[in-house]
Amino acid sequence: MTARLTTFTNDGLTFDVHDDGPADGTPVVLLHGFPQTSASWARVTPHLHAAGYRTIVPDQRGYSPGARPRGRYAYRMSALVGDVAALIDTLGAGPVHLVGHDWGAAVAWSTAANRPHLVATLTSVSVPHPMAFVRSIVSSSQGFRSIYMAVFQIPWLPELVLTRMLRAAATGGPQRRARAMAAAHLDDEQFDRLLRDIVDGGALPYALNWYRAMAITTPRSGLAKVAAPTTHVWSTRDAFIARRSADLAARYVTGPYRIEVLDATHWVPEERPAELAALIVARARGDETT
C-alpha cells in the first residue's frame, strides 16, 4: 500500500500535507492561494476522489507553521517552485497533474514552465501565466485591480491593518461581519478559516511576503512557455483578475490548451467545486470534448 504523506521537507523547512483519496490513484497536486490554506480545496477533493484520483494538498511556504522563514527573499518564485518540486520528488510517482488557484496558480504555471518533467497536465484557476498577467496590466483594467499589491509592499502596516479590520469584523456584531464578508465575497466558513488559520494562526505576515518578493523575482523565470496540456479557468465575477489576462494566457502554452469560464467570484474552488473538479478530471484524462 502506498504510504501517505503528512509532511515533506525542503530548504530545511517542514511542510504540512493532506494526502487523501485512493492510495493507488493518480496524484493530483493542488496549490492554494492567498489568504488561504490547503483547506480551500476541501470542497473539490471529494469529487476528485470519486473519480479515482489521489489528492496531495500542501500548506505552502509561510502557511505551514514549520515553513515560515523570515524576509521576503525566501518567498521568491524560484523558492516556491522548489517547494513544489520537492513535494513531487517526495511522492516519487513521476509527473503529476498540477492544479493551482490564485497565487497557487502562479506557482503552478512557473513549475510547469521551468520544471516540465514534473508536470503531466496543468489546470490553473483565476491567475494566468505570469507574462499574460503582466501584459494585461497595461492593456486592461488589471492595473487598477492590482493596486492592493502595491499597498502590500509597505512593511508591517498591511498585516497590522488587516488583522485589526478582520478581528473588528468578527467581534463587531452580525451586520459588521456581514459587510466584511460581502466586501471580500466570502461565506461564513471561508471567513472563519481566514481568522483561524491566517490571522490567529500567525501566517499573515509570511503570506504577505509572497507579494513583497515580486520585485526581486528573476524576470527570466516567468518568460518560459508551458508545454504541458493546460486548462485555464476564469470566473465572470472575479474582482481581482481581468478577462484580458485569461485571454492572453493562450499565448504562453505550446501544448493543448483550453480556457473555461465559470459564473463565480474569485473563490472558484469553494463556489464551483463540482464544476472545477470536472474540468480538472477532463484535463487529466485528455478529454478535449468535455
Side-chain angles (χ1 to χ4, degrees):
M1 181 176 179
T2 302
R4 294 291 190 180
L5 282 185
T6 58
T7 62
F8 75 97
T9 60
N10 187 47
D11 284 348
L13 307 172
T14 300
F15 298 80
D16 297 328
V17 181
H18 295 273
D19 178 353
D20 298 297
D24 59 350
T26 301
V28 177
V29 173
L30 301 113
L31 307 177
H32 66 81
F34 172 91
Q36 298 183 300
T37 66
S38 55
S40 65
W41 293 105
R43 301 177 190 177
V44 175
T45 53
H47 299 284
L48 297 177
H49 300 160
Y53 290 91
R54 175 187 176 191
T55 58
I56 312 295
V57 194
D59 288 322
Q60 296 195 81
R61 184 174 291 226
Y63 296 88
S64 284
R68 291 178 178 172
R70 296 184 179 275
R72 63 176 183 166
Y73 186 74
Y75 296 85
R76 65 201 185 281
M77 183 57 72
S78 59
L80 304 175
V81 169
D83 295 337
V84 177
L87 170 59
I88 297 173
D89 286 343
T90 301
L91 279 173
V96 302
H97 301 296
L98 186 60
V99 182
H101 171 245
D102 187 75
W103 260 111
V107 177
W109 278 102
S110 294
T111 302
N114 294 286
R115 307 283 185 99
H117 62 288
L118 299 177
V119 181
T121 69
L122 170 66
T123 302
S124 61
V125 187
S126 301
V127 172
H129 186 282
M131 286 306 300
F133 184 82
V134 169
R135 292 186 63 171
S136 71
I137 289 176
V138 297
S139 61
S140 71
S141 63
Q142 189 59 59
F144 175 77
R145 295 171 189 247
S146 301
I147 289 174
Y148 71 95
M149 295 184 182
V151 175
F152 284 174
Q153 302 304 311
I154 303 170
W156 303 108
L157 185 61
E159 46 263 60
L160 178 64
V161 172
L162 286 171
T163 296
R164 289 183 175 179
M165 288 176 58
L166 289 165
R167 286 181 174 156
T171 60
Q175 291 185 339
R176 188 166 186 175
R177 176 186 169 103
R179 286 196 299 270
M181 289 169 51
H185 303 284
L186 300 175
D187 61 25
D188 281 302
E189 182 181 347
Q190 289 171 283
F191 188 76
D192 289 340
R193 285 204 313 256
L194 173 59
L195 286 170
R196 181 186 68 245
D197 299 338
I198 306 302
V199 177
D200 295 335
L204 185 57
Y206 306 98
L208 287 169
N209 276 339
W210 287 49
Y211 291 94
R212 292 165 180 159
M214 291 173 69
I216 57 175
T217 291
T218 305
R220 182 177 57 191
S221 67
L223 295 177
K225 294 184 177 182
V226 170
T230 299
T231 295
H232 180 56
V233 182
W234 182 77
S235 47
T236 57
R237 292 178 283 119
D238 193 325
F240 305 106
I241 305 295
R243 172 64 191 256
R244 175 64 173 164
S245 71
D247 292 336
L248 288 170
R251 302 185 184 186
Y252 300 95
V253 181
T254 59
Y257 175 80
R258 292 169 59 193
I259 182 171
E260 296 285 350
V261 178
L262 299 179
D263 178 22
T265 70
H266 183 71
W267 314 111
V268 177
E270 288 94 345
E271 294 182 21
R272 295 291 183 268
E275 294 94 328
L276 179 55
L279 295 175
I280 295 168
V281 170
R283 173 50 66 199
R285 292 177 177 172
D287 183 354
E288 295 297 321
T289 62
T290 300

